[in-house]
């Protein structure tokens, strides 16, 4: 992982040997620690267009910067993705390990998907990079904007830089373009100021822009134009155009997907705020969809005229390579067509499977399309392949071998079959000739199409078939034969067959393997791989890992809430054992999530709610995975009768925000629907400057900064519409004192926190006391006090007011107070207490401890001598 290789095209074109014999050379291995769980790893590479005069390699990769490859939903956990430039040494065969120039890093990535990271140079000499949203579609900045839509976060964008990593002056969000909120985000991948605009961003609103391609035909005219293949969620796959004149474009994910609202395939009315994808295609039942590689057909490639101006893209889940060509006759706009139809004609180009990358390159003085295939466990066809156009010339045949067995004890006979070999030229398949070399001695052993061969010597043999078409075309392939050996037998011990999991569970992978020749195999002979199946394709969850007792922690959540992803998703655990001769065998165990039926509804019914940023209309029934914690949102909206409504409350017992709730799928099916209750819309105040986990100390003072939206949920109210109040519930107080009386405005300085009334002795709950004043029987029931910050917003246009409250807890310090011997009374903060005792109080609170002499304990009189800290 993290290794860059080079293979010579001339080696692949050498007629004296099979293209598969071309030997790759290692150029560079990234020196940084890298997380490779899930879809993390090396995302993209590019060579400077002026190579070798400028011998630079540009790399986008995962960087384990914090020694934290965790899978989490927290924003302060996980690795980052890094884009940097490296320089080759003068021999152009290796990289100077000290030459790295870091261009940017993303924010931390708790999830392990949607990394993207493709890199390409435009005709303008600028370097473009696709940055995936890393599963952050539900995350929002302080303005309530989803990360892929926000301009203060690099996730879900296309970044544009010059060849040295500097900001081009004509990027859309730069001071040179008049942007007064422009900031650099290259250090942390985001700005804490939600109103800021990252200068690196060129376009926004992407999900997983896995691969993109520059248009070479536009480049010849000095224009930069590219298509981005953006992998969709559950409904659409998308091709999104970028390039000259498109800086600042927002494609709208997750609010928009394909030509419609997110997750929808009808009612696809355009939204002027967001660009419609150039081309979209709908998912197919049972398969879904996953667009991967893409390339434009160069107009000088010598390919058929029917493909001129075409764009080729690969489909990983449905399979195949497809061509789209501009055709205005195909266009049908909304509302005549719902969903609308783009002005492109699609045609199937190839049935190749599991293709992840496409690119045109040189081949025998012309151009061919090279494609990369990713197959499980290195099956035949994985790696770099090529499609060339020969016109009326002869095309090479394709050799194929089948064998009755590939292992056996001496002597044993193998029946071979080469009749699946074919020639793409009409009539030539029947004229194929066959040359077999079974025992690696370089001599032809048979010319039959279906020969047999008896192996009498022990060893590993690569039986080779060469087929010829009689017109100068040939192809070769091999199959491994293990003579006098048998494959090992791997066995998965943990988890047990039938095991199910909840989100967040720890799963231990433990197994063993026995080999007839080698006996019990060591752990070093075992390799584990875990795939998270998602409908009819899978995502890598644990890449091949050698050893035993491997931990999966935590078990993953579902990708979303649609039928094909919750009910047809599972983990497939692969254990491969390899014996001393290199012969392997694999066993597979499937473990499935524990599923719970969920119902969501609203009062009134028929309202829109967002589940993990996916839009649904109530009532809705879904399947969840036990332990999955996700966010529900009820936005301000029109009710079915046309009146504006906003959220009043969520079902009892849910952790709620202004319009959101965190819900964790329980073990048992809920007896009642999860309910969102609406009322006539009113302003929505939001406290921005105080995090939910913030704690205060004596002497603290902090800024009161908030925001509020009008009753329509869109218009932002002015600061004069806000009113702040701060109440302090002191230790053991029956009521509060007002620290800040109701005050209009925003960004106010709160008075400093005073000393508490007293300390608290032997507090029953230690540090784990309540977090919400509403949970207390009385304001002082918690005993340790708290702040209540109140923000009200008034919408003058509607005359309505609403209020939000935030409980801020003190930073509690526990101090052990004791005497020698124990059992003596001390006066602590003017209160008598018998030692030993635990004193709880607010951090930075100064209080007095006094020893009282002349006390009796067990008929002995004690006088004070000294304190442990040496004070009198």
């Amino acid at each position: 992982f993290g290794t860059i290789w080079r293979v010579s095209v001339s080696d692949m074109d050498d007629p004296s040997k099979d293209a598969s014999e071309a030997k790759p050379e290692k150029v560079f291995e990234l020196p940084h620690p890298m997380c490779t769980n899930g879809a993390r790893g090396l995302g993209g590479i590019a060579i400077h267009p002026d190579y070798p005069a400028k011998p630079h390699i540009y790399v986008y990769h995962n960087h384990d910067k914090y020694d934290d490859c965790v899978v989490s939903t927290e924003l302060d956990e996980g690795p980052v993705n890094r884009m940097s430039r490296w320089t080759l040494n003068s021999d152009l065969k290796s990289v100077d390990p000290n030459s790295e120039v870091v261009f940017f890093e993303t924010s931390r990535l708790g999830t392990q998907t949607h990394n993207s990271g493709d890199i390409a140079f435009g005709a303008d000499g600028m370097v473009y990079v696709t940055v995936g949203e890393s599963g952050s579609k539900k995350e929002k900045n302080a303005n309530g904007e989803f990360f892929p839509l926000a301009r203060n976060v690099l996730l879900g964008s296309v970044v544009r830089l010059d060849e040295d990593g500097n900001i081009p002056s004509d990027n859309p969000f730069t001071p040179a373009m008049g942007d007064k909120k422009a900031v650099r985000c290259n250090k942390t991948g985001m700005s804490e100021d939600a109103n800021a605009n990252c200068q690196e961003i060129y376009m926004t609103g992407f999900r997983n822009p896995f691969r993109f391609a520059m248009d070479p035909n536009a480049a010849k005219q000095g224009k930069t134009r590219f298509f981005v293949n953006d992998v969709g969620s559950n409904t659409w796959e998308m091709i999104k155009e970028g390039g000259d004149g498109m800086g600042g474009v927002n494609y709208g994910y997750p609010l928009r997907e394909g030509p419609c609202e997110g997750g929808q395939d009808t009612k696809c009315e355009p939204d002027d705020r967001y660009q419609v994808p150039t081309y979209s295609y709908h998912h197919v039942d049972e398969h879904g969809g996953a667009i991967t590689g893409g390339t434009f057909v160069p107009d000088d490639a010598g390919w058929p005229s029917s493909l001129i101006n075409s764009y080729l893209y690969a489909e990983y889940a449905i399979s195949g390579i497809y061509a789209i060509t501009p055709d205005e006759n195909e266009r049908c706009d909304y509302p005549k067509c719902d969903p609308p139809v783009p002005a492109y004609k699609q045609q199937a180009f190839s049935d190749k499977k599991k293709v992840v990358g496409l690119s045109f390159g040189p081949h025998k003085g012309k151009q061919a399309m090279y494609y990369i295939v990713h197959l499980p466990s290195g099956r035949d066809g994985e790696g770099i392949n090529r499609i060339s156009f020969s016109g009326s010339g002869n095309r090479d045949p394709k050799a194929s071998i089948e064998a009755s067995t590939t292992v056996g004890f001496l002597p044993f006979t193998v029946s071979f079959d080469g009749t699946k070999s074919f020639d793409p030229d009409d009539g030539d398949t029947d004229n194929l000739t066959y040359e077999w070399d079974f025992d690696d001695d370089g001599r032809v052993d048979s010319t039959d199409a279906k020969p047999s061969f008896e192996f009498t010597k022990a060893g590993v043999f690569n039986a080779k078939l060469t087929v010829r078409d009689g017109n100068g075309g040939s192809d070769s392939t091999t199959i491994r034969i293990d003579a006098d050996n048998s494959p090992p037998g791997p066995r998965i011990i943990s988890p047990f067959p039938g095991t199910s999991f909840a989100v967040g569970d720890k799963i231990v992978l433990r197994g063993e393997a026995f080999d007839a020749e080698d006996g019990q195999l060591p752990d070093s002979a075992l390799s584990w791989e875990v795939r998270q199946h998602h409908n009819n394709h899978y995502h890598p969850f644990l890449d091949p890992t050698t050893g035993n007792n491997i931990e999966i922690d935590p078990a993953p959540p579902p990708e979303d809430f649609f039928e094909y992803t919750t009910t047809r998703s599972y983990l497939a655990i692969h254990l491969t054992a390899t014996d001393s001769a290199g012969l392997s065998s694999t066993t597979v165990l499937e473990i499935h999530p524990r599923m719970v039926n969920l119902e969501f509804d609203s009062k009134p019914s028929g309202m829109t709610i967002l589940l993990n940023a996916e839009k649904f209309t109530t009532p809705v029934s879904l399947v969840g995975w036990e332990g999955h914690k996700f966010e529900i949102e009820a936005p301000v909206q029109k009710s079915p009768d046309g009146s504006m409504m906003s959220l009043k409350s969520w079902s009892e017992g849910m952790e709620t925000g202004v319009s959101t709730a965190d819900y964790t799928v329980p073990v048992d099916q809920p007896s009642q629907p999860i309910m969102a209750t609406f009322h006539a819309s009113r302003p929505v105040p939001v406290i921005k400057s105080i995090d939910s986990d913030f704690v205060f100390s004596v002497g603290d003072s902090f800024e009161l900064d908030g925001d509020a939206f009008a009753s329509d949920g869109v218009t932002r109210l002015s600061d004069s519409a806000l009113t702040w109040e701060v109440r302090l519930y002191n230790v053991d107080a029956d009521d509060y004192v007002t620290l800040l009386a109701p005050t209009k405005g925003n960004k106010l300085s709160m008075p400093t926190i005073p000393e508490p009334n007293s300390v608290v002795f032997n507090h029953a709950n230690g540090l784990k006391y309540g977090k919400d004043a509403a949970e207390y029987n009385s304001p002082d029931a918690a005993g340790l006090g708290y702040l209540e910050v109140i923000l009200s917003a008034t919408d003058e246009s509607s005359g309505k007011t609403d209020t939000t409250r935030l409980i801020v807890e003190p930073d509690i310090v526990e101090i052990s107070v004791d005497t020698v011997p124990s059992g003596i009374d001390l006066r602590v903060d003017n209160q008598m207490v018998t030692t030993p005792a635990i004193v709880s109080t607010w951090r930075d609170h100064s209080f007095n401890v006094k020893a009282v002499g002349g006390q009796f304990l067990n008929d002995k009189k004690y006088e004070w001598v000294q304190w442990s800290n040496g004070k009198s």
Side-chain angles (χ1 to χ4, degrees):
F1 301 106
T3 305
I4 299 173
W5 301 82
R6 171 175 55 197
V7 63
S8 169
V9 172
S10 60
D11 283 351
M12 292 190 288
D13 286 345
D14 189 341
S16 66
K17 53 187 175 183
D18 183 70
S20 62
E21 298 177 21
K23 300 300 182 184
E25 299 175 328
K26 182 191 288 189
V27 176
F28 185 47
E29 185 169 344
L30 288 167
H32 306 305
M34 183 185 301
C35 297
T36 57
N37 49 332
R40 294 167 169 168
L42 179 58
I45 60 174
I47 308 298
H48 195 285
D50 292 337
Y51 175 90
K54 294 183 177 181
H56 302 310
I57 298 178
Y58 297 80
V59 183
Y60 186 96
H61 66 93
N62 183 274
H63 177 35
D64 187 13
K65 185 175 183 177
Y66 302 98
D67 190 23
D68 185 8
C69 292
V70 69
V71 178
S72 168
T73 58
E74 301 299 325
L75 297 180
D76 59 352
E77 295 182 342
V80 301
N81 282 330
R82 170 184 283 188
M83 191 269 180
S84 55
R85 184 187 71 190
W86 300 81
T87 301
L88 279 82
N89 291 312
S90 57
D91 61 3
L92 300 181
K93 294 183 178 180
S94 60
V95 169
D96 179 355
N98 299 313
S99 64
E100 182 182 25
V101 178
V102 179
F103 281 16
F104 68 87
E105 291 181 350
T106 66
S107 50
R108 298 184 70 171
L109 312 169
T111 61
Q112 56 185 4
T113 58
H114 308 169
N115 291 282
S116 307
D118 206 9
I119 309 171
F121 276 83
D124 54 5
M126 302 301 165
V127 60
Y128 294 77
V129 189
T130 63
V131 182
E133 47 87 85
S134 187
S136 68
K137 65 178 182 182
K138 71 179 183 65
E139 304 296 346
K140 297 179 181 178
N141 66 11
N143 286 340
E145 298 169 311
F146 290 108
F147 275 8
L149 300 176
R151 296 200 294 258
N152 70 314
V153 183
L154 296 184
L155 298 179
S157 71
V158 171
V159 164
R160 179 178 184 253
L161 303 168
D162 71 14
E163 62 180 301
D164 298 316
N166 301 312
I167 301 294
S169 60
D170 59 348
N171 267 13
F173 310 115
T174 61
M177 298 298 287
D179 192 331
K180 296 181 180 180
K181 300 177 182 178
V183 297
R184 287 300 307 266
C185 299
N186 55 314
K187 299 294 186 181
T188 61
M190 64 188 305
S191 170
E192 293 298 328
D193 182 359
N195 296 311
N197 296 322
C198 295
Q199 297 184 53
E200 294 83 358
I201 290 177
Y202 192 68
M203 305 166 72
T204 56
F206 294 87
R207 181 177 184 266
N208 184 16
F210 182 70
R211 290 290 175 260
F212 77 125
M214 290 289 170
D215 183 350
N217 305 317
K220 292 176 184 177
Q221 304 172 27
K223 299 177 182 178
T224 296
R225 178 176 182 252
F226 54 85
F227 278 2
V228 181
N229 291 359
D230 196 9
V231 182
S233 180
N234 293 282
T235 313
W236 298 95
E237 297 299 302
M238 297 150 288
I239 297 173
K240 300 175 177 179
E241 183 175 352
D244 294 342
M246 299 195 70
V249 162
N250 188 336
Y251 275 101
Y253 180 81
L255 299 182
R256 305 288 295 187
E257 184 179 347
C260 309
E261 289 187 3
Q264 307 297 311
D265 56 9
T266 59
K267 301 180 181 178
C268 301
E269 183 177 359
D271 187 327
D272 292 340
R273 296 174 296 172
Y274 307 118
Q275 183 80 10
V276 177
T278 304
Y279 183 81
S280 304
Y281 61 92
H282 201 282
H283 281 196
V284 176
D285 288 349
E286 304 296 321
H287 293 285
I291 190 170
T292 50
T295 185
F296 288 90
V297 178
D299 55 18
D300 59 355
W303 278 38
S305 57
S306 60
L307 290 172
I308 297 299
N309 296 322
S310 293
Y311 179 75
L312 301 173
Y313 69 87
E315 176 37 75
Y316 190 82
I318 301 172
S319 291
I321 301 173
Y322 300 84
I324 57 171
T325 306
D327 188 343
E328 282 296 324
N329 292 325
E330 297 288 325
R331 181 190 297 275
C332 183
D333 295 328
Y334 179 92
K336 181 179 180 180
C337 289
D338 188 14
V341 179
Y344 281 84
K345 181 178 181 179
Q346 185 219 56
Q347 58 180 321
F349 175 76
S350 170
D351 61 358
K352 304 299 182 184
K353 298 180 179 180
K354 305 303 181 186
V355 176
V356 295
L358 303 174
S359 180
F360 273 82
H363 173 55
K364 296 182 177 179
K366 300 180 180 179
Q367 291 195 66
M369 187 186 74
Y370 294 82
Y371 63 96
I372 301 174
V373 173
H374 171 67
L375 292 171
S377 305
R379 294 178 186 170
D380 185 38
E382 182 173 57
I384 302 174
N385 299 267
R386 180 177 58 218
I387 295 176
S388 60
F389 179 66
S390 59
S392 59
N394 185 58
R395 290 178 286 180
D396 290 334
K398 179 66 177 177
S400 175
I401 299 177
E402 291 183 348
S404 58
T405 183
T406 58
V407 297
F409 293 105
L410 300 178
F412 75 105
T413 299
V414 179
S415 297
F416 293 92
D417 187 347
T419 58
K420 293 292 179 67
S421 303
F422 69 94
D423 192 295
D425 295 322
D426 291 342
D428 281 3
T429 297
D430 294 337
N431 297 322
L432 290 179
T433 60
Y434 303 85
E435 299 173 4
W436 297 87
D437 176 9
F438 301 116
D439 51 5
D440 281 342
D441 63 359
R443 293 179 296 185
V444 175
D445 297 314
S446 175
T447 58
D448 293 338
K450 301 172 69 173
S452 295
F453 185 81
E454 183 180 47
F455 289 87
T456 59
K457 294 181 180 180
V460 177
F461 301 93
N462 292 302
K464 181 177 181 179
L465 168 63
T466 300
V467 293
R468 304 184 189 277
D469 63 5
N471 296 310
S474 65
D475 186 42
S476 299
T477 189
T478 62
I479 188 171
R480 172 175 167 147
I481 304 294
D482 284 79
D484 213 29
N485 190 16
S486 60
R491 182 173 77 94
I492 297 175
I493 299 173
S494 171
F496 299 107
T499 295
S500 60
F501 67 88
V503 176
D505 280 357
K506 180 168 73 174
I507 302 169
V508 178
L509 307 180
R510 183 167 58 254
E512 62 181 5
F514 183 83
D515 184 73
E517 292 74 36
D518 297 343
Q520 187 79 30
L521 296 182
D523 289 349
S524 59
L526 305 181
S527 178
W528 298 89
E529 180 188 359
V530 181
R531 304 172 185 172
Q532 184 175 359
H533 283 257
H534 179 90
N535 200 7
N536 273 17
H537 66 280
Y538 72 87
H539 301 275
F541 189 75
L542 175 70
D543 284 315
T545 302
T546 300
N548 214 351
N549 297 309
I550 308 297
E551 291 186 357
I552 298 176
D553 187 15
E559 188 164 336
D560 43 57
F561 288 101
F562 292 84
E563 176 185 0
Y564 292 126
T565 50
T566 53
T567 62
R568 302 186 187 184
S569 293
Y570 58 90
L571 296 180
I573 300 170
H574 296 241
L575 173 59
T576 300
T578 304
D579 67 15
S580 59
L583 183 59
S584 298
S585 181
T586 300
T587 185
V588 181
L589 173 68
E590 294 180 5
I591 60 172
H592 291 255
R594 294 195 287 275
M595 291 180 278
V596 180
N597 292 321
L598 303 174
E599 293 184 9
F600 298 87
D601 207 347
S602 63
K603 295 180 182 178
S605 196
M607 302 294 282
T608 295
I609 60 173
L610 277 69
L611 307 180
N612 220 26
E614 300 286 354
K615 186 178 290 188
F616 297 90
T617 301
T618 62
V620 59
S621 298
L622 299 169
V623 175
W625 291 6
E626 179 188 325
H628 181 204
K629 183 177 181 179
F630 57 93
E631 184 183 81
I632 311 173
E633 181 177 1
V636 176
Q637 59 192 284
K638 286 186 178 180
S639 67
D641 66 9
S643 61
M644 291 299 297
M645 303 193 77
S646 61
L647 181 71
K648 178 182 180 182
S649 64
W650 291 100
S651 300
E652 185 177 351
M654 297 176 67
E655 295 182 26
T656 64
V658 176
S659 62
T660 63
D662 287 329
Y663 182 77
T664 301
V665 179
V667 175
D668 300 316
Q669 181 174 335
S671 59
Q672 299 292 329
I674 296 94
M675 185 69 66
T677 301
F678 289 80
H679 59 183
S681 185
R682 57 196 63 199
V684 183
V686 179
I687 298 173
K688 294 165 49 178
S689 58
I690 307 174
D691 294 332
S692 59
D693 57 355
F694 177 78
V695 292
F696 67 82
S697 303
V698 173
D700 278 356
S701 176
F702 43 86
E703 185 181 63
L704 300 176
D705 184 12
D707 208 346
F709 292 90
S711 302
D712 60 7
V714 177
T715 305
R716 182 174 278 106
L717 297 177
S718 66
D719 288 349
S720 62
L722 306 181
T723 300
W724 293 90
E725 182 181 359
V726 181
R727 301 170 179 177
L728 174 64
Y729 290 85
N730 217 311
V731 173
D732 288 328
D734 292 330
D735 204 349
Y736 64 84
V737 295
T738 300
L739 284 189
L740 179 70
T743 304
K744 285 184 174 293
N746 199 21
K747 297 185 178 180
L748 307 178
S749 293
M750 198 196 77
T752 57
I753 305 294
E755 298 270 354
N757 290 343
S758 63
V759 299
V760 176
F761 297 106
N762 303 317
H763 192 269
N765 295 324
L767 296 176
K768 299 184 182 299
Y769 48 89
K771 293 185 176 182
D772 185 348
E775 297 175 359
Y776 304 153
N777 295 323
S778 63
D780 66 333
L784 293 167
Y786 57 90
L787 278 177
E788 184 179 20
V789 180
I790 304 168
L791 174 61
S792 299
T794 301
D795 183 356
E796 294 183 358
S797 63
S798 66
K800 294 178 179 178
T801 298
D802 205 356
T803 299
T804 186
R805 290 174 167 82
L806 179 65
I807 300 300
V808 184
E809 298 171 347
D811 186 1
I812 297 299
V813 179
E814 289 192 340
I815 305 161
S816 175
V817 178
D818 205 352
T819 56
V820 180
S822 292
I824 300 295
D825 290 341
L826 294 176
R827 184 177 294 277
V828 180
D829 199 29
N830 297 317
Q831 302 177 67
M832 293 302 293
V833 61
T834 301
T835 62
I838 300 295
V839 178
S840 299
T841 190
W842 303 352
R843 186 174 296 280
D844 294 332
H845 174 206
S846 297
F847 61 91
N848 179 267
V849 182
K850 183 177 181 180
V852 182
Q855 298 187 54
F856 286 85
L857 179 65
N858 298 327
D859 298 326
K860 292 183 179 181
K861 184 177 181 180
Y862 289 89
E863 298 289 347
W864 172 81
V865 178
Q866 65 179 9
W867 294 102
S868 59
N869 61 3
K871 293 186 177 181
S872 61

